[in-house]
Amino acid sequence: VTDDQTDSATLGTAGEVAALRRIFPILPPATAATVGPGDDGAVIATPDGRVVISTDLLVHGPDFRLAWSSPFDLGWKGAATNLADIAAMGGRPTALVVAIAAPLDTLISDLEGIARGLRDACAALAPGVGVVGGDLSASDTLTIAVTVFGDLEGRDPVLRSGARPGDVLALAGSVGRAAAGLRLLFAQGIDDSGEPDAGAASDLVARRPAAVEAQLRPSPPIAAGSAAAIGGATAMLDVSDGLLLDAARIAVASGVDLDIDLHALQPDRDWIAGEAPELSEVSAEIVLTDGEDHSLLATFPADVPLPEGFRAIGVAREGSGHVLVGGADPAVRTAGWDSFAGWDGVAG
Amino acid sequence: VTDDQTDSATLGTAGEVAALRRIFPILPPATAATVGPGDDGAVIATPDGRVVISTDLLVHGPDFRLAWSSPFDLGWKGAATNLADIAAMGGRPTALVVAIAAPLDTLISDLEGIARGLRDACAALAPGVGVVGGDLSASDTLTIAVTVFGDLEGRDPVLRSGARPGDVLALAGSVGRAAAGLRLLFAQGIDDSGEPDAGAASDLVARRPAAVEAQLRPSPPIAAGSAAAIGGATAMLDVSDGLLLDAARIAVASGVDLDIDLHALQPDRDWIAGEAPELSEVSAEIVLTDGEDHSLLATFPADVPLPEGFRAIGVAREGSGHVLVGGADPAVRTAGWDSFAGWDGVAG
């Protein structure tokens, strides 16, 4: 056993080549790859003749706290949130590339943990998807940049702009779960001075495992994306920033109003009451305004059956980009997450 | 004029939406895009039925110093180095996605500068390539993550592993120019305490414009990549880490030895003597060991004419992954850039 292979080996002591030698075997292969990692570029099959692409950053500080997220969680979340973007276009995810910038003292075993999270999220959420390439660089700030690819299988992409008056507004997956977990972490996963604390987070996980898992390892309904496209969805996106804000994106892009029936979100409020009872009183606000479950919000013509996994939560009406709840202006704030306005500058 | 539009507006004061509103109009559109920025994902045409993908990070500190690189330079380099990876696979670049993580006090006008650099590099090096999507996040460390796409136009990708004994080793583009610029910056673009200094760099640019430009705004021969593939290249990569190191990658992957003729690199040494005369004495070392010109190094069967832009610089022989210079072991170090071993931890 050389020093590169011990648990104390870091990027700074072992170097890039040794790190990659340990990470590569963990990364999942992609069914679609004809050239995988190791050359100047990867090559993946795009049988449709088009490829869907999305990219997202996970940055230490605004996007995660190391006191709360394990390396495995970071890899899982980096895959899950990106896969949801392909699903939201009506595509079938095929592959990822992952670029990581990490401090010199980062343990290589932690990079292996990230790789395991990527692997397990792909296997659980989108079997056949793999990592076809990446980059590894030094940085003072741990940063994970994921770019994801998908195939449209001959269908039109489902944009945000296609909702029509009379359409049914429908949701696949949950709202409020990841947010409940985040609120618990900020309230209870901290030390006496209010800083994120691994011990407090561990105690919280023991009390509220489902809510914390929903935040740290979300499981968006990836297969529902292509099902929605096949089923005639007229508009779609993934709910990353909160139901009201993301619904407004469809409403504005489509030039309609969307009216949400809060009763249809009762199962989400019930889930919060069961898994995070201390948040029961604010569950209506959470399900309407908080994001990160990466569920799929879509509109369908009223005369088609909703695809499996979707439930009706409202309707589209003639209008000009407004979102209503029960026919009225929502009484809660609608601002979603803006990492520049919302980040307090703390990493943790 | 609202505050968002003034030159003093920052990401922290103006926010993500206002920043994107200023950046989007600058970004070049991609000919291949059927869905551009603004939805959950972009869609680009992949007429070949496959897509070539590569991703690279530019991180403040190990990869650039803000005292030396302007925002325009960063955008240019982010595009140029990624485009070279597609060329090195024998592909024609089609599109980029660009994710930027930046400190809260980053001027939006600096993000506009990055966008202009991306735009101008695409226009100069690969017309028709555009930015189809991205992400913008807060971070303590300015980080630019570029992912690039390309089409193979029905050809096989050119891997590193296809060189055969008897092949000609050929180069499109230069070696040593970017490195000469970097050595000048580290020697002369600094203040009295040795720190990167914008004023000293500006004085250096006035004396040595070509060398500094080669480092900060490299111009790899992108079109030579598909020309090489059409012309029968058996192996190829872009010279990012130094000629000896990158040649060794072909030699090892292909199971051959490569013998470089130093006389064939005399034009590169002459260029250094003319544009950076203080480096004349070490020009042989620079052209063999330093990288970042992103020229294309390829092997061709001996009986085919070299494509336009390529010059013979050596031969492939039976062997086991060694690189020779004039038939002998090179007398210079062959270690290329490793951001974990090589970075001094300073940002500047």
Side-chain angles (χ1 to χ4, degrees):
Chain A
V1 181
T2 70
D3 182 61
D4 298 355
Q5 298 167 307
T6 64
D7 282 349
S8 63
T10 67
L11 281 172
T13 60
E16 181 178 355
V17 172
L20 292 176
R21 197 180 302 127
R22 284 178 55 178
I23 298 166
F24 270 12
I26 300 170
L27 295 174
T31 307
T34 60
V35 177
D39 219 295
D40 291 79
V43 181
I44 62 169
T46 57
D48 173 81
R50 297 166 296 177
V51 62
V52 190
I53 303 160
S54 187
T55 192
D56 259 314
L57 294 169
L58 277 178
V59 180
H60 182 205
D63 296 321
F64 61 84
R65 311 287 163 113
L66 289 171
W68 294 340
S69 290
S70 71
F72 181 92
D73 294 340
L74 298 178
W76 180 289
K77 193 162 186 170
T81 58
N82 274 278
L83 293 168
D85 284 319
I86 298 301
M89 297 294 287
R92 184 181 53 79
T94 52
L96 310 170
V97 293
V98 182
I100 299 177
L104 297 174
D105 62 358
T106 301
L107 293 170
I108 295 184
S109 59
D110 282 347
L111 296 179
E112 292 178 310
I114 293 173
R116 287 190 197 96
L118 289 162
R119 177 194 66 192
D120 286 8
C122 288
L125 304 175
V129 172
V131 177
V132 297
D135 191 18
L136 186 58
S137 183
S139 173
D140 286 329
T141 305
L142 178 59
T143 305
I144 304 173
V146 177
T147 306
V148 61
F149 312 101
D151 196 69
L152 289 167
E153 302 178 316
R155 300 179 299 268
D156 287 337
V158 183
L159 307 182
R160 298 176 176 186
S161 53
R164 296 291 167 258
D167 281 357
V168 172
L169 182 67
L171 185 72
S174 56
V175 285
R177 296 186 186 192
L182 187 62
R183 289 188 182 213
L184 291 178
L185 283 164
F186 270 110
Q188 302 176 33
I190 55 178
D191 62 19
D192 292 342
S193 64
E195 292 296 305
D197 182 79
S202 176
D203 293 345
L204 172 61
V205 167
R207 293 192 303 276
R208 305 285 180 245
V212 175
E213 175 173 326
Q215 165 59 219
L216 300 182
R217 295 185 299 281
S219 290
I222 303 302
S226 47
I230 293 167
T234 53
M236 185 157 55
L237 48 58
D238 76 308
V239 182
S240 52
D241 294 330
L243 188 56
L244 290 180
L245 182 71
D246 284 314
R249 290 173 170 147
I250 290 179
V252 169
S254 300
V256 298
D257 284 355
L258 293 173
D259 191 353
I260 294 172
D261 176 9
L262 190 55
H263 298 105
L265 304 177
Q266 191 60 44
D268 303 279
R269 298 180 64 185
D270 291 345
W271 190 92
I272 292 171
E275 302 292 345
E278 53 270 75
L279 297 172
S280 291
E281 285 189 24
V282 291
S283 67
E285 178 185 321
I286 291 176
V287 299
L288 287 171
T289 66
D290 291 10
E292 294 203 281
D293 280 10
H294 299 278
S295 54
L296 297 177
L297 182 67
T299 53
F300 294 89
D303 58 354
V304 305
L306 292 181
E308 191 178 325
F310 280 90
R311 56 183 155 137
I313 66 161
V315 294
R317 297 218 183 84
E318 298 276 355
S320 53
H322 298 289
V323 176
L324 309 171
V325 176
D329 274 334
V332 292
R333 67 179 174 81
T334 60
W337 173 246
D338 179 326
S339 80
F340 302 104
W343 183 37
D344 60 6
V346 175
Chain B
V1 181
T2 70
D3 182 60
D4 297 355
Q5 297 167 307
T6 64
D7 282 349
S8 63
T10 68
L11 281 171
T13 61
E16 181 178 355
V17 173
L20 292 176
R21 199 180 301 126
R22 284 177 57 177
I23 297 167
F24 270 12
I26 300 170
L27 295 173
T31 307
T34 59
V35 177
D39 219 296
D40 290 80
V43 181
I44 63 169
T46 56
D48 173 81
R50 297 167 295 177
V51 63
V52 190
I53 303 160
S54 186
T55 193
D56 259 315
L57 294 170
L58 278 177
V59 180
H60 183 205
D63 295 321
F64 62 84
R65 311 287 163 113
L66 289 171
W68 294 341
S69 289
S70 71
F72 181 92
D73 295 340
L74 298 179
W76 179 290
K77 194 161 185 169
T81 57
N82 274 277
L83 293 169
D85 284 319
I86 298 299
M89 297 295 287
R92 183 181 55 79
T94 52
L96 309 170
V97 294
V98 182
I100 299 178
L104 296 174
D105 62 358
T106 302
L107 292 171
I108 295 184
S109 59
D110 282 347
L111 295 180
E112 291 178 311
I114 293 172
R116 288 190 195 96
L118 289 163
R119 177 194 67 195
D120 286 8
C122 288
L125 304 175
V129 172
V131 177
V132 297
D135 190 18
L136 186 58
S137 182
S139 174
D140 285 329
T141 304
L142 178 59
T143 305
I144 304 173
V146 178
T147 305
V148 61
F149 312 101
D151 197 69
L152 289 167
E153 302 178 316
R155 300 180 298 268
D156 286 337
V158 183
L159 306 182
R160 299 175 175 185
S161 53
R164 296 291 167 257
D167 281 356
V168 173
L169 181 68
L171 185 72
S174 57
V175 285
R177 296 187 185 192
L182 187 63
R183 289 188 182 214
L184 290 179
L185 283 163
F186 270 110
Q188 301 175 33
I190 54 177
D191 63 18
D192 292 343
S193 64
E195 291 297 304
D197 182 80
S202 176
D203 294 344
L204 172 63
V205 168
R207 293 192 304 276
R208 305 285 180 247
V212 175
E213 175 172 326
Q215 165 58 218
L216 300 182
R217 296 185 298 283
S219 291
I222 303 301
S226 46
I230 293 167
T234 52
M236 185 157 55
L237 49 57
D238 76 308
V239 182
S240 52
D241 294 330
L243 188 55
L244 290 180
L245 182 71
D246 284 314
R249 290 174 169 146
I250 290 179
V252 168
S254 300
V256 299
D257 283 356
L258 293 172
D259 191 352
I260 294 172
D261 176 10
L262 191 55
H263 297 106
L265 304 177
Q266 192 59 44
D268 303 278
R269 298 181 63 187
D270 291 345
W271 189 93
I272 293 170
E275 302 293 345
E278 53 270 74
L279 298 172
S280 291
E281 285 190 23
V282 290
S283 67
E285 178 184 321
I286 291 176
V287 299
L288 287 172
T289 67
D290 291 10
E292 292 204 281
D293 280 9
H294 298 279
S295 54
L296 297 176
L297 182 67
T299 52
F300 294 89
D303 57 355
V304 305
L306 292 181
E308 192 178 325
F310 280 89
R311 56 184 154 133
I313 67 161
V315 294
R317 297 218 182 86
E318 298 275 355
S320 53
H322 298 288
V323 176
L324 309 171
V325 176
D329 273 335
V332 291
R333 66 179 173 84
T334 60
W337 173 246
D338 179 324
S339 80
F340 303 104
W343 182 35
D344 60 6
V346 175

